[in-house]
Amino acid sequence: MNASSEHQRILLDIADLDRRIAQADRARTHPSQAARINELVAIRQEQLRELTALTGTRDDARTELTRLESDVKLVEQRRARDAERLAVATDPKQAQALEHEIASLTRRQSDLEDAELDVMGRVEEAEAAVAAQQALIDITTAEGSTLSAQGKADVAAAAELGVQLARDRAAVAESIPATLLAEYTRRAANSAGAALLTRGTCEGCRMMLPSTDIAEIRRAAEDAVVYCPECGCILVRTEESGL
C-alpha cells in the first residue's frame, strides 16, 4: 500500500485521538472513585450490623431500666400505704407486722435503686456507643456521597470529552484516503495502529528493530506504507527515524 508522507503522519494524530478516546471511555466506565466507593459500601454494611447489635444492647438496657423504675414505684406506693396504716393502727401485733413489712420494703427499695443506678449507667454507656457508631456511619456516608458526586461529575466530563474527541477524529479522518484509514483501523485492533519510528525504535511497542528490518525500511519508497515487524502497526517515518 502507498500513501503520501503527509497522510501517513496524519495517522499519528488519529492514533493519538484514539488513545485519548479510549482513556475517556475508561474514565467514563471506570471512574477513579469506584474502588473506594465499593469499599465504603462494605464498610458501611459492617458498621450498620454493629449499630444493630449496639442498638439491641441499648434497648435491652432501657427495657430493664423501665422495669426497675416500675418496681421501685410499686414498692414506694406499698410503703406509703403501710405507713398510712401504721399511723392509725391500734393493734400492737398489726403495728409490729406493718413495721416489719415497711423495713423489708425499705431494703427491697434500696436494692432496686442500687440496681437501677447500675442499669442507668449501662444505658448511658450503650447510648454513647450507639451515638459513636452512628457518627462513624455518618462519616462513611458523607465520604461516599462526596465520592459519588465527584464520580458522577467525572463520568459526565469524560462522556462529554469522548464525544468531542470523536468529532475531532471524524474530522481528521476525512482528510486521508479511505483505504489508508481502513488499513490503520484493521491494525489498530491489535496494536497502536500507527506509531513513529524513532531512531530505529517503534514507539508503538517500544521495541528496537533489528538492523535487517531497518535496512529494508530504508530501501522502501517514501510513499510506501511500512509496518513494525514486532507489533504490526504502521510505522510513520520522519527525520527522527534514524534512517
Side-chain angles (χ1 to χ4, degrees):
M1 173 179 286
N2 294 326
S4 69
S5 297
E6 179 183 356
H7 286 161
Q8 290 189 46
R9 293 188 185 194
I10 291 174
L11 288 179
L12 297 177
D13 295 331
I14 295 176
D16 181 62
L17 285 167
D18 283 344
R19 178 185 59 80
R20 293 167 62 193
I21 288 171
Q23 288 177 340
D25 189 59
R26 284 194 296 273
R28 179 182 62 82
T29 57
H30 298 86
S32 61
Q33 300 87 355
R36 178 56 179 167
I37 289 174
N38 290 335
E39 182 182 353
L40 288 171
V41 168
I43 290 173
R44 189 173 187 275
Q45 289 175 343
E46 182 60 33
Q47 289 175 336
L48 286 172
R49 283 192 288 269
E50 180 65 17
L51 178 64
T52 298
L54 291 172
T55 300
T57 300
R58 180 204 62 189
D59 291 346
D60 289 345
R62 283 178 173 178
T63 298
E64 185 177 358
L65 179 61
T66 299
R67 180 183 61 77
L68 287 170
E69 289 173 342
S70 177
D71 289 348
V72 168
K73 186 175 181 180
L74 288 175
V75 170
E76 288 177 340
Q77 291 173 347
R78 188 170 177 180
R79 278 186 61 203
R81 286 196 303 269
D82 285 352
E84 291 175 358
R85 291 172 60 191
L86 179 60
V88 297
T90 56
D91 183 350
K93 289 184 179 181
Q94 183 185 24
Q96 185 178 13
L98 288 171
E99 289 175 350
H100 178 76
E101 184 171 349
I102 289 173
S104 177
L105 289 171
T106 299
R107 290 192 298 272
R108 173 61 176 161
Q109 182 175 346
S110 177
D111 291 342
L112 287 172
E113 288 175 343
D114 288 343
E116 187 178 16
L117 288 173
D118 179 65
V119 174
M120 287 175 65
R122 285 163 48 199
V123 169
E124 186 175 338
E125 290 176 359
E127 288 177 340
V130 168
Q133 187 66 17
Q134 184 60 59
L136 288 177
I137 293 172
D138 292 343
I139 291 172
T140 302
T141 301
E143 183 181 354
S145 298
T146 299
L147 289 177
S148 294
Q150 292 174 350
K152 289 178 181 178
D154 289 351
V155 166
E160 183 178 354
L161 177 60
V163 170
Q164 182 58 55
L165 290 171
R167 291 198 196 100
D168 294 344
R169 186 192 190 280
V172 173
E174 288 179 354
S175 65
I176 64 173
T179 53
L180 180 62
L181 180 62
E183 177 70 0
Y184 161 81
T185 302
R186 183 176 69 84
R187 291 182 175 271
N190 299 303
S191 69
L196 270 175
L197 176 61
T198 305
R199 291 182 292 278
T201 298
C202 170
E203 294 295 333
C205 61
R206 309 300 299 175
M207 294 293 292
M208 180 172 286
L209 276 58
S211 58
T212 53
D213 291 322
I214 292 295
E216 184 177 347
I217 293 172
R218 186 180 293 117
R219 289 192 299 269
E222 183 178 348
D223 64 347
V225 176
V226 298
Y227 308 99
C228 172
E230 299 294 335
C231 68
C233 75
I234 296 172
L235 286 175
V236 179
R237 293 165 287 169
T238 69
E239 59 277 4
E240 298 179 2
S241 296
L243 302 175

